[in-house]
Amino acid sequence: MNQTIARFDDVTMRFAQISALQNVSATLAPGKVVALVGHNGAGKTTFLKLLLGLLRPTSGSVAVLGADPAGRNASILRRRIGFLPETVTFHGAMTGRELICFFAGLKGVAAAAAVELLSQVNLEDAGSRRVGTYSKGMRQRLGMAQALLGDPELLLLDEPTSGLDPHSRHRMYETIDALRAQGKTVVASTHALAEIESHADEVILIHGGRVLAAGTLTELRGAAALPTMAKVRLRHDAAHSMPCIDANGIEMSRPAPDRLDFRIPAGHLPSFLDILATSRSWIEDIEIEPPTLDRLYQHLLAQAEEDQ
Amino acid sequence: MKAILRMAMQEVRAGIRNRLVLATTLVLAALAVSIVFLGSAPVGVVDADPVSLTVVSLASLTIFLVPLLALMLSFDTVVGEAERGTLLLLLSYPVTRWQIVAGKFLGQSVILVIATLLGFGAAGLLLLLQHGSDAGDWPAFIRLIASSILLGAVFIAIGGLVSVTVRERATAAGAAVGIWLVFVLLYDGALLALLVADQGRFIGTATLDALLLLNPTDAYRLYNLASDPRIAMLSGLTGTATAEGGSNAQQLLALLAWVVAPLALTVRVFSRRQP
């Protein structure tokens, strides 16, 4: 069985002066939500354009659904791919329904199915209005509707949540979760790391056109061995007595009289909790913060810069 | 083929929506109808039928106007979509670049066909009402409409080429105006200067023929004004008709080549353009 939806094989993409991607190798497994994480200009959009076959790599090769996305049969391939561009713009004078039907036609999808998608993204009432009057969130939803045309196996979402209000973001992540449940492969580029964390199976971290790290979140966390942070607020009557937790490399600091911050090395959280249990009478509140994608990224970034 | 038709239909729909169709039609209709109303006033009392008179005046003005309108329709075909950000999405669809070029060309041509048929048709109707069906040289009038559409198609194709070649919409607009000036005004001026300076030493009629056919607006002018003896007499092109300008077939072929060549080049440039 074909266990990859897409594969990058030592891909370098150079434009006139800059090289957007350098020696990138990656595989996308079917049915996974992959977060493509990096700063602006890290190479995320180039990555997606290569998957779409809109660019040909300077060297190396890209394969999508078993074929060359920029090759002869690219047109057939693109029927199986949905794409949401970073800035979704449409011809403002056309209505939402006209646009979705136009795109449906290009993809060989019946108009009825297109209108059905429009109502799935709650645009059935706005469908007869000019897209020029749509809000950013509505345009993004129309963008998502067109990406879903033809029930594609692979969805490429370029910054799907950028510029959206919290409610729209939430809905976007719901859509991504629903796609995952349907067994679709989703590649979503983002720099909103903290948000995508709980929705992604795998992460590809890109920086300066290179892949810093790739794998599941657990794998990445394990490899980076980042400490867990804990913030303990002490009861007022205990603020003057000082609990002593200084074992297994756990570091403690006291930023305020009634607060203790702990830095717990990877793997030592259980013993930390054991120690804490003995001091429970002093404790008002505990906040435990596992290493987030954000911190993981900062860590890997710092590491990469050291290496250079 | 389906993809091309869809692209074309979308282009026409957008043209209707943003009133490009209406504006183009009104401009051409205003021009054509006012020429009919003016009648023979500009040429004085001549022994000519009203249709021939209209053909002469209309052809002379179409040479200026239709290329301008056609360039307006097409100069931002690709660069406009690129700037709006709609091109990337379009290219991610199962549609090839030549289909996009062909579809947009077809759609813009349809807009021009609508405008020309309605605009010039209004003039024809007016002539018919004023003078009846024996008002004169109707075939010349039909030829005028057909060749005006062809001339428009030439400049739609040229505008499309401009739109894939440049990086910014403003550049495309500037280039379109430049192209219009060259073909409509400067080329003939330069040719005339060349002939005067040459004094008939090197440039024979064959060369002049070729030079005239190289400019689509000249090919159009000769096709409409020099081919019919009555009209040629009216337009003052009697001399050129017999000696220069090639045959009607050559003129039409020249116009056709001016459609095909820019289109082919557009597809070539577009397929190398990085979105």
Side-chain angles (χ1 to χ4, degrees):
Chain A
M1 275 301 285
N2 185 8
Q3 278 310 303
T4 57
I5 280 275
R7 176 194 293 279
F8 275 60
D9 216 357
D10 198 26
V11 169
T12 296
M13 185 71 223
R14 238 188 302 280
F15 296 111
Q17 287 102 17
I18 44 162
S19 80
L21 288 181
Q22 281 177 53
N23 307 101
V24 169
S25 293
T27 52
L28 304 180
K32 303 281 186 200
V33 174
V34 181
L36 192 61
V37 177
H39 287 319
N40 291 331
K44 299 184 302 262
T45 301
T46 305
F47 190 98
L48 294 178
K49 282 182 180 172
L50 281 163
L51 281 176
L52 281 167
L54 298 179
L55 297 172
R56 278 172 201 279
T58 313
S59 68
S61 70
V62 180
V64 176
L65 300 166
D68 174 6
R72 279 202 166 274
N73 296 322
S75 276
I76 299 162
L77 208 61
R78 288 197 193 122
R79 283 180 197 275
R80 300 161 64 191
I81 304 176
F83 174 52
L84 175 70
E86 180 178 355
T87 40
V88 202
T89 44
F90 299 103
H91 199 300
M94 312 299 277
T95 68
R97 193 173 292 122
E98 280 172 334
L99 280 167
I100 199 81
C101 289
F102 166 64
F103 285 120
L106 288 184
K107 235 175 178 173
V109 174
V115 173
E116 167 62 29
L117 268 174
L118 213 54
S119 59
Q120 255 183 51
V121 295
N122 283 353
L123 281 177
E124 69 266 62
D125 294 333
S128 49
R129 261 168 54 198
R130 289 158 40 109
V131 171
T133 66
Y134 281 22
S135 69
K136 161 88 184 164
M138 289 165 81
R139 262 183 289 140
Q140 196 78 357
R141 260 144 59 203
L142 182 57
M144 202 60 206
Q146 66 77 28
L148 294 173
L149 280 169
D151 201 20
E153 294 152 64
L154 174 61
L155 277 132
L156 307 175
L157 315 176
D158 198 356
E159 306 271 359
T161 57
S162 80
L164 294 186
D165 60 61
H167 176 67
S168 307
R169 274 165 196 253
H170 179 71
R171 298 217 27 180
M172 180 60 75
Y173 287 121
E174 273 181 357
T175 311
I176 291 176
D177 290 343
L179 288 168
R180 171 158 63 172
Q182 288 167 32
K184 310 286 185 196
T185 309
V186 181
V187 181
S189 83
T190 184
H191 44 233
L193 308 171
E195 281 180 21
I196 196 114
E197 210 172 338
S198 53
H199 305 275
D201 300 302
E202 283 174 26
V203 178
I204 298 177
L205 286 179
I206 313 190
H207 179 68
R210 292 174 188 278
V211 173
L212 285 187
T216 65
L217 276 170
T218 331
E219 279 169 11
L220 291 187
R221 284 205 180 101
L226 284 181
T228 299
M229 308 304 250
K231 288 174 185 158
V232 176
R233 210 167 78 230
L234 301 174
R235 295 166 78 106
H236 272 300
D237 51 336
H240 293 289
S241 54
M242 171 116 167
C244 184
I245 301 173
D246 199 8
N248 299 320
I250 297 172
E251 289 169 32
M252 189 183 80
S253 60
R254 191 165 192 172
D258 64 339
R259 237 188 74 197
L260 293 175
D261 285 2
F262 297 94
R263 198 168 175 279
I264 306 138
H268 289 89
L269 194 58
S271 56
F272 171 74
L273 292 176
D274 282 347
I275 299 167
L276 220 55
T278 62
S279 325
R280 60 198 306 168
S281 56
W282 299 331
I283 295 165
E284 174 87 43
D285 192 21
I286 309 174
E287 205 178 298
I288 290 181
E289 198 183 287
T292 56
L293 199 49
D294 244 330
R295 263 173 56 210
L296 193 63
Y297 181 51
Q298 298 304 335
H299 170 79
L300 289 166
L301 210 62
Q303 212 171 44
E305 267 156 22
E306 257 170 50
D307 289 350
Q308 276 169 14
Chain B
M1 197 60 212
K2 246 184 170 170
I4 297 176
L5 287 181
R6 280 185 205 287
M7 292 293 313
M9 268 166 56
Q10 188 74 352
E11 196 71 16
V12 174
R13 202 172 290 149
I16 293 172
R17 196 58 52 78
N18 57 26
R19 297 188 174 70
L20 256 177
V21 177
L22 184 70
T24 322
T25 308
L26 282 182
V27 167
L28 285 181
L31 170 85
V33 168
S34 59
I35 279 173
V36 174
F37 272 128
L38 279 173
S40 59
V43 283
V45 181
V46 287
D47 183 23
D49 61 87
V51 176
S52 297
L53 268 178
T54 305
V55 166
V56 171
S57 314
L58 208 48
S60 315
L61 286 170
T62 301
I63 287 173
F64 291 90
L65 203 58
V66 163
L68 195 65
L69 293 175
L71 286 168
M72 244 177 57
L73 285 174
S74 64
F75 81 94
D76 72 341
T77 305
V78 170
V79 78
E81 290 235 10
E83 223 160 81
R84 276 205 305 273
T86 49
L87 185 64
L88 189 63
L89 185 59
L90 184 58
L91 288 176
S92 78
Y93 271 79
V95 49
T96 60
R97 299 198 185 185
W98 76 265
Q99 286 172 327
I100 294 176
V101 171
K104 295 220 164 222
F105 168 78
L106 195 65
Q108 288 158 357
S109 299
V110 167
I111 292 178
L112 200 79
V113 167
I114 295 172
T116 314
L117 283 183
L118 290 181
F120 288 12
L125 204 66
L126 202 61
L127 276 173
L128 207 62
L129 289 176
Q130 279 185 345
H131 306 280
S133 60
D134 56 346
D137 198 356
W138 285 109
F141 192 76
I142 308 257
R143 281 204 303 274
L144 172 80
I145 292 182
S147 59
S148 298
I149 289 169
L150 193 54
L151 180 70
V154 167
F155 282 89
I156 287 173
I158 293 175
L161 179 57
V162 169
S163 82
V164 284
T165 315
V166 300
R167 284 272 146 204
E168 275 171 49
R169 196 169 172 272
T171 323
V177 170
I179 283 167
W180 180 79
L181 275 176
V182 166
F183 280 128
V184 169
L185 293 173
L186 302 180
Y187 188 92
D188 287 353
L191 196 56
L192 202 61
L194 189 70
L195 287 178
V196 170
D198 183 62
Q199 292 292 334
R201 272 169 297 180
F202 304 108
I203 301 175
T205 49
T207 320
L208 187 59
D209 272 4
L211 284 174
L212 283 172
L213 288 179
L214 267 181
N215 181 347
T217 62
D218 281 331
Y220 170 87
R221 195 194 313 268
L222 291 166
Y223 177 77
N224 279 299
L225 298 185
S227 52
D228 188 311
R230 278 180 300 170
I231 290 177
M233 195 262 295
L234 269 179
S235 56
L237 282 178
T238 38
T240 55
T242 47
E244 291 146 28
S247 67
N248 270 354
Q250 280 175 325
Q251 290 147 4
L252 286 181
L253 268 177
L255 284 171
L256 232 92
W258 267 106
V259 175
V260 175
L263 273 182
L265 211 55
T266 304
V267 172
R268 209 179 146 80
V269 175
F270 192 23
S271 40
R272 291 183 184 175
R273 188 181 164 118
Q274 282 178 338

